[in-house]
């Protein structure tokens, strides 16, 4: 059985969708993998409690703990790598993980590191994706699952979902509709990746 490690910073709803998919019998056959650990970058991330409620072990690598280091980003990534490598994961999933990773970290997990982003990349890399889509007058928004490369939100695209922008949409209403679709997209892409690697 292969291991998956999921990195989170917040609510963890995408993480929960992956855990559920891996635990469901019909998906389990397709996944052939289990979520071995959920690692949070903040002790208070609500997703950690959600993971524990689903029976998944959690760990915290608190990014703030490295603020005094000469190179805080590199020190955080090194600690994160130690926590991840204990599980020898086939895939490391970024599910609402809001830290920028160093090129060294990205290289270490090349071919195994996958992110979900709430826009139709290459449009709207970075933050505030839904507001920026509304401001631009986009008629369609969506989400993208992609391989992680050193450039933020720019790796090869593995899957996308398109969500129409509706009259009167706010960033919040659009974001909620996109998030619901993220929960379908991410497990589907992960299942396909695991099947390829089998
Ligand atoms: C999701 O919409 C995800 O695409 C986004 O954060 C949200 C996390 O929600 N990720 C990014 O913006 C990464 N650049 P969740 O914690 O409930 O899964």
């Amino acid at each position: 059985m292969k291991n998956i490690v999921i990195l989170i910073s917040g609510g963890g709803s995408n993480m929960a969708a992956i855990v559920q998919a891996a635990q469901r019998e019909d998906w389990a056959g397709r996944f052939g993998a289990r979520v071995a650990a959920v690692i949070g970058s903040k002790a208070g991330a609500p997703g950690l409690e959600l993971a524990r409620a689903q029976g998944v072990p959690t760990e915290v690598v608190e990014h703030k703990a490295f603020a005094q280091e000469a190179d805080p980003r590199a020190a955080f990534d090194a600690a994160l790598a130690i926590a991840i490598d204990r599980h020898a994961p086939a895939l490391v999933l970024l599910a609402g993980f809001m830290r920028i990773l160093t090129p060294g970290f990205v290289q270490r997990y090349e071919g195994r590191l996958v992110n979900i982003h709430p826009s139709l990349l290459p449009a709207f890399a970075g933050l505030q994706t839904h507001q920026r889509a509304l401001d631009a007058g986009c008629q369609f928004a969506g989400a993208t699952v992609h391989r992680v490369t050193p450039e933020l939100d720019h790796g090869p695209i593995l899957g996308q979902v398109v969500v129409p922008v509706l009259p009167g949409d706010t960033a919040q209403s659009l974001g909620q509709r996109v998030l619901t679709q993220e929960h379908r997209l991410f497990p589907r892409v992960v299942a396909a990746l695991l099947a390829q690697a089998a």
Side-chain angles (χ1 to χ4, degrees):
M1 184 71 105
K2 289 180 197 138
N3 281 347
I4 297 172
V5 169
I6 306 182
L7 309 186
I8 65 166
S9 299
S13 67
N14 277 293
M15 171 280 298
I18 300 280
V19 170
Q20 274 161 27
Q23 288 175 349
R24 256 173 34 201
E25 267 179 32
D26 51 338
W27 277 88
R30 286 157 74 179
F31 259 63
R34 69 190 180 113
V35 179
V38 169
I39 304 176
S41 62
K42 284 189 225 167
L48 292 168
E49 191 48 51
L50 195 55
R52 285 193 285 269
Q54 289 176 299
V56 179
T58 62
E59 294 165 47
V60 175
V61 180
E62 181 68 67
H63 75 89
K64 283 190 196 141
F66 301 90
Q68 305 307 321
E69 301 284 337
D71 186 343
R73 254 185 224 291
F76 170 72
D77 283 5
L80 193 56
I82 289 169
I84 292 170
D85 288 349
R86 274 191 215 116
H87 305 283
L91 287 177
V92 179
L93 306 179
L94 309 183
F97 186 71
M98 305 307 275
R99 309 301 310 166
I100 294 175
L101 296 162
T102 55
F105 182 96
V106 171
Q107 243 161 35
R108 182 186 190 97
Y109 296 101
E110 197 185 344
R112 294 189 281 161
L113 196 55
V114 172
N115 180 46
I116 187 158
H117 181 76
S119 77
L120 292 172
L121 290 174
F124 309 124
L127 299 174
Q128 313 292 341
T129 54
H130 305 304
Q131 189 58 55
R132 287 157 63 207
L134 291 173
D135 291 347
C138 292
Q139 297 183 4
F140 296 95
T144 303
V145 176
H146 65 97
R147 290 194 188 280
V148 177
T149 55
E151 196 179 350
L152 185 70
D153 300 330
H154 269 82
I157 291 170
L158 298 168
Q160 287 187 310
V161 62
V162 175
V163 174
V165 175
L166 301 180
D169 253 341
T170 61
Q172 202 193 0
S173 63
L174 177 59
Q176 192 48 55
R177 238 171 28 255
V178 171
L179 189 61
T180 302
Q181 293 306 316
E182 290 182 45
H183 301 159
R184 299 161 66 97
L185 173 70
F186 210 1
R188 190 155 51 74
V189 172
V190 170
L193 280 176
L194 289 166
Q196 273 170 30

